[in-house]
Amino acid sequence: MNKRFNKKLLLSAILIMLFALTGCGGALNTELTVNDDLSGKRVMTYTADCHDQDSYFKGDYASARSVIAKSCPDGLKLDDRSTDDNIELVFTLEFSDIDEYAHKVRSIIEASGKDAPETPIEYMAPSSVFATGISYKENFTSEDLMNWFQDTLVNGGYVSSGDRGNIYYKGKNYQNNICGNEDTSSRVNINTISYLALNGISYTTGFNSDGTFDREIRVDVPQASMDLKEDEIKEFLESSASGKISSDWSFENGVNVCTLTGTGLSASEMDEWMDSFYGENGDWFSVMDAEEDDDDDEEDENAIPNYFEDRTRVVENFRFDNYVSNQYNEVNFTYNAPAEGQYDGKYKTGDNDHTLYTYPGSGSDESMQLFTSYTTSVEADYVYTHSFFMDSAEITLNVKRKGITRNVKLNFGALSDERRQRLSSDLEAAMPEKGMKLKSCEANENSGVTVEIETESSDSDDSELYKSVFGVSNKLAVSRSSKAPLAASRITNVDDRFDLSRFASGNIPSVTYTIKGVGKELKFNKDSDKKKDKDEGEDKEASDTITREGKNYVRTYTDLDAGTRLENNVTGTTSNFFAILLWIVTAALIAFAAYRIFLFVKEAAANRPAKPAPAAGAAQPPYGVAMPQGSNPFAAAPQTQPAVEPVNTSSEAQPAAEPGNTASAGAAQMKPESAVRFCANCGNKLDADAKFCDSCGTPVE
């Protein structure tokens, strides 16, 4: 009996407690109305019985309402309808369109220190052949908007943190009316769109050297959809084709393809075209100089600019509300761009950020895919880097006895006058004080520009000049067997590696590379004559032809990858004609001098008279008899002369002529005048009346 009574008493106590608890706390009720013009209001009403709240509420209700009124965020209008027994606080959020509504929602949530969704409201109301109806979704609740209300009561000491949940204990009720569509969920999600199948949309955007753009939009429509509304679909898709925009239909692999093409469009013309294609006005397409918003300014302060490229920042928004084709309100969208460019940036779908990567293009062999997504809206922000297209290049290296000269002539394709002038100014400013100069930067016959650069420097300085001005990694080594100025010949080896990657992109139709001054008997190292694919790190044989034009080494490349570093190793022999001529002249002078000496000696010997027979009684060897060994007829007279008996010329000493011998007498008389005498010591010719030799001073006998 007692046990039964105790059980009944316990059950009664539990029921009383449950009844008491159910009576505690307040309620938050929401009424949301969105009109057809997207204006509307959100009314959130908090109600509570003062007696029910006594169990957890502390303090004065009037004071609490006053604090709440002061803490109410901007964007909410408070209407206090409370009485002594009941609390009724009405918070109203009014808006004229969805954008204003979303802005106020973010501000109210962030005012309480919470993170607001970047896209609080997702709204779509397609009115096209592919989709009709509305899609409305909220990514927040009334409790998110009233978080500040709970914080105020807890922080003010009116409710303990443990009783925070009792503030809305009686519940949160919703009555939503979105463009006539009823809903009672806390997070509104209404979709009344009816769909017509669409396979996908792809863009291929091209960048022209004159700053204009090309775009091809491809819309793939399955045959089933065409069977239902062919005329309406064609009319809808072709509606944006006017002026510079053309349309064309094709049938590929069972799919109907509508291709819209625009060429030579300015940024504003692109934006206007997108207004028509998306069916609403907006800021869809804009471009700017990439340097205007460079986050790496400090890091790139010392970076060497590439003068032969353009960097364009593209900011583009895509909106495909009129092309959704499934219950998820998505479109299969692909964005392509030229394959020869480089792309850095990001794109955003909903609240999700993505890094932009490049893949082989789906548009054509000349394009690459930047991104693809199933979505209705995309925001893209990227930098397109595009080097100038080079028609041809001529590189001439002239090797001298000391140092080199290099002439580089680059012929670029279509380039506007404004861009050419800017290029010329930039290159002039970049040239160093000496060693390198800009010879010309002039318009050419292809409506482009021809740039000619010349260096005159030592072998090693040439590479340093190109590195400091253009940031390329060249390498030039020249070895000469002899640098002596009078060397008749020298063997020269040239190992030249010239980088073209900073001057162009894609393929260069023709490149002519010439080395002068190496000489004849040219030899080249074929193993080094390869081009380097920098991306793949593999050696590939270059498509080229090597010829010898006179004493010049000439190599012609065809369809050369601009990422190539030209590598050439050549050896030749050079004759120094000046030195050879100088040596010939010197040898001739030496030979001439020797010949003159020979003639002089010969003439001296020829003019020497025959030596006469010595006088009778003289101790002189007869003419023609060899002189005693050691004697020298041309030697200087000795300092001490031997005593010689003087010649007796007196009449007394003369023998008398024999009588009757008149011939002998006449001969004797004629002899002093006609006989030629010579010095017995040195052989010098003596005068008829000489008493001493004029040459050596020896007395004449």
Side-chain angles (χ1 to χ4, degrees):
M1 186 71 177
N2 291 334
K3 291 182 179 180
R4 289 183 180 179
F5 177 77
N6 291 336
K7 288 183 179 180
K8 290 181 179 180
L9 183 61
L10 180 59
L11 289 173
S12 298
I14 292 173
L15 290 173
I16 292 172
M17 291 177 63
L18 290 173
F19 179 77
L21 288 173
T22 56
C24 295
L28 183 64
N29 301 314
T30 300
E31 292 183 11
L32 172 64
T33 302
V34 178
N35 302 316
D36 291 339
D37 63 356
L38 303 183
S39 64
K41 63 181 179 180
R42 186 187 193 98
V43 179
M44 297 172 290
T45 303
Y46 177 76
T47 59
D49 189 321
C50 294
H51 301 291
D52 293 339
Q53 301 208 132
D54 288 342
S55 61
Y56 68 88
F57 191 84
K58 304 172 184 178
D60 180 57
Y61 288 109
S63 173
R65 296 200 307 271
S66 176
V67 172
I68 290 171
K70 293 179 180 179
S71 303
C72 186
D74 293 338
L76 283 179
K77 182 172 65 174
L78 172 60
D79 182 11
D80 189 351
R81 302 175 184 176
S82 303
T83 65
D84 293 339
D85 297 327
N86 295 292
I87 298 174
E88 185 177 357
L89 303 175
V90 181
F91 302 92
T92 303
L93 190 163
E94 296 181 327
F95 51 89
S96 59
D97 55 38
I98 296 298
D99 290 339
E100 183 184 5
Y101 185 21
H103 175 72
K104 288 184 176 181
V105 168
R106 280 193 296 266
S107 299
I108 293 170
I109 295 176
E110 290 171 353
S112 63
K114 302 295 182 180
D115 292 332
E118 189 167 344
T119 308
I121 303 159
E122 299 178 26
Y123 173 77
M124 182 186 304
S127 178
S128 73
V129 66
F130 295 105
T132 56
I134 68 165
S135 173
Y136 183 93
K137 180 181 178 181
E138 291 186 350
N139 298 314
F140 63 94
T141 66
S142 291
E143 190 173 4
D144 295 329
L145 290 173
M146 296 299 291
N147 189 66
W148 67 272
F149 177 74
Q150 293 173 294
D151 290 344
T152 300
L153 293 177
V154 172
N155 296 335
Y158 299 105
V159 177
S160 67
S161 59
D163 289 324
R164 183 186 180 101
N166 289 327
I167 296 176
Y168 301 142
Y169 189 84
K170 286 187 175 180
K172 299 174 282 291
N173 303 308
Y174 292 84
Q175 291 293 327
N176 307 310
N177 188 314
I178 311 299
C179 301
N181 299 282
E182 302 289 339
D183 179 75
T184 58
S185 59
S186 60
R187 291 179 181 268
V188 186
N189 190 354
I190 296 175
N191 189 342
T192 65
I193 300 176
S194 59
Y195 305 96
L196 195 63
L198 181 68
N199 286 359
I201 299 175
S202 66
Y203 286 16
T204 300
T205 303
F207 299 79
N208 300 321
S209 61
D210 60 357
T212 62
F213 303 88
D214 298 337
R215 170 162 287 178
E216 178 186 279
I217 298 178
R218 174 185 169 119
V219 183
D220 294 353
V221 184
Q223 185 60 43
S225 297
M226 296 294 286
D227 291 340
L228 293 173
K229 295 183 178 181
E230 180 175 354
D231 293 339
E232 293 91 334
I233 291 174
K234 287 187 174 182
E235 181 180 358
F236 174 75
L237 293 178
E238 294 173 4
S239 62
S240 65
S242 62
K244 294 183 178 180
I245 314 302
S246 62
S247 64
D248 182 60
W249 283 89
S250 61
F251 189 76
E252 303 174 11
N253 301 322
V255 176
N256 295 271
V257 179
C258 177
T259 303
L260 302 172
T261 305
T263 57
L265 303 177
S266 65
S268 61
E269 289 173 329
M270 282 278 282
D271 191 63
E272 291 175 3
W273 180 19
M274 294 302 98
D275 284 341
S276 176
F277 185 74
Y278 298 137
E280 59 179 299
N281 295 332
D283 295 327
W284 308 114
F285 187 91
S286 60
V287 296
M288 63 190 73
D289 191 332
E291 310 302 330
E292 293 180 7
D293 188 28
D294 195 341
D295 296 332
D296 301 325
D297 285 342
E298 294 184 2
E299 182 180 343
D300 297 338
E301 182 178 356
N302 298 321
I304 299 173
N306 190 333
Y307 306 102
F308 303 94
E309 70 178 16
D310 285 322
R311 300 180 73 240
T312 303
R313 182 184 175 199
V314 178
V315 178
E316 187 163 9
N317 297 304
F318 310 88
R319 189 69 179 265
F320 301 109
D321 292 4
N322 290 334
Y323 299 88
V324 294
S325 57
N326 55 50
Q327 60 180 337
Y328 304 106
N329 296 328
E330 295 175 341
V331 172
N332 182 10
F333 174 58
T334 302
Y335 190 86
N336 302 312
E340 71 272 10
Q342 296 180 348
Y343 305 87
D344 299 288
K346 60 185 179 180
Y347 67 99
K348 184 176 185 179
T349 57
D351 295 336
N352 301 315
D353 289 324
H354 310 275
T355 301
L356 189 148
Y357 294 100
T358 56
Y359 304 94
S362 61
S364 68
D365 293 338
E366 298 179 353
S367 68
M368 65 172 62
Q369 178 181 301
L370 299 191
F371 56 85
T372 183
S373 178
Y374 282 89
T375 184
T376 53
S377 63
V378 182
E379 297 176 15
D381 186 344
Y382 64 90
V383 173
Y384 167 63
T385 303
H386 174 61
S387 299
F388 298 165
F389 177 78
M390 187 184 295
D391 291 323
S392 63
E394 300 173 23
I395 303 168
T396 303
L397 179 66
N398 191 357
V399 180
K400 301 180 178 180
R401 185 173 61 85
K402 291 184 178 180
I404 58 94
T405 60
R406 187 192 294 273
N407 184 279
V408 177
K409 183 181 289 187
L410 309 173
N411 298 305
F412 295 99
L415 209 65
S416 65
D417 288 340
E418 183 275 333
R419 186 65 183 91
R420 179 186 61 78
Q421 293 172 4
R422 181 154 56 94
L423 173 63
S424 179
S425 299
D426 291 344
L427 290 176
E428 283 284 2
M431 291 295 109
E433 294 183 0
K434 62 179 182 178
M436 176 181 285
K437 65 180 179 180
L438 177 67
K439 291 193 68 175
S440 66
C441 183
E442 303 293 339
N444 58 33
E445 59 185 9
N446 296 325
S447 301
V449 62
T450 296
V451 176
E452 188 172 359
I453 300 166
E454 187 171 87
T455 55
E456 184 171 2
S457 64
S458 64
D459 307 338
S460 59
D461 285 348
D462 180 76
S463 299
E464 290 300 320
L465 286 169
Y466 272 91
K467 183 177 181 180
S468 63
V469 176
F470 299 110
V472 294
S473 300
N474 293 351
K475 182 180 179 181
L476 173 64
V478 181
S479 61
R480 303 169 178 85
S481 61
S482 175
K483 294 184 179 180
L486 295 181
S489 66
R490 69 170 184 264
I491 298 175
T492 303
N493 174 261
V494 177
D495 187 3
D496 188 27
R497 304 176 186 183
F498 193 85
D499 191 352
L500 284 170
S501 61
R502 297 273 286 183
F503 299 97
S505 65
N507 285 348
I508 306 173
S510 174
V511 176
T512 302
Y513 175 89
T514 303
I515 298 181
K516 295 182 177 181
V518 177
K520 59 183 179 178
E521 298 180 4
L522 288 170
K523 298 179 181 179
F524 57 90
N525 183 357
K526 185 63 178 177
D527 291 338
S528 70
D529 294 333
K530 295 180 179 179
K531 67 177 184 177
K532 189 80 168 179
D533 190 312
K534 294 188 174 183
D535 295 331
E536 299 180 6
E538 297 178 355
D539 286 334
K540 298 180 179 179
E541 290 291 340
S543 174
D544 61 344
T545 302
I546 298 176
T547 59
R548 296 174 177 83
E549 297 180 4
K551 297 181 180 180
N552 300 330
Y553 166 90
V554 181
R555 187 172 187 178
T556 303
Y557 300 85
T558 303
D559 291 330
L560 182 71
D561 184 350
T564 296
R565 184 171 68 177
L566 305 182
E567 299 187 2
N568 292 273
N569 190 309
V570 181
T571 302
T573 302
T574 305
S575 298
N576 188 342
F577 293 104
F578 175 78
I580 293 174
L581 179 61
L582 185 61
W583 282 115
I584 292 175
V585 170
T586 302
L589 290 175
I590 293 174
F592 179 75
Y595 178 69
R596 292 296 300 171
I597 293 173
F598 170 76
L599 291 179
F600 176 79
V601 173
K602 183 178 181 180
E603 182 180 0
N607 291 333
R608 180 184 303 167
K611 200 167 187 179
Q620 179 72 19
Y623 187 80
V625 178
M627 298 287 291
Q629 185 175 359
S631 65
N632 185 354
F634 299 100
Q639 296 297 323
T640 304
Q641 301 293 334
V644 178
E645 184 178 348
V647 178
N648 185 4
T649 58
S650 64
S651 59
E652 296 178 355
Q654 298 296 326
E658 294 181 2
N661 190 358
T662 57
S664 299
Q669 292 177 357
M670 294 291 294
K671 185 176 180 179
E673 297 181 25
S674 60
V676 178
R677 297 183 301 167
F678 295 88
C679 175
N681 182 52
C682 67
N684 183 42
K685 183 180 180 180
L686 300 175
D687 293 336
D689 58 348
K691 294 182 178 182
F692 296 92
C693 176
D694 293 337
S695 177
C696 63
T698 301
V700 178
E701 294 180 354

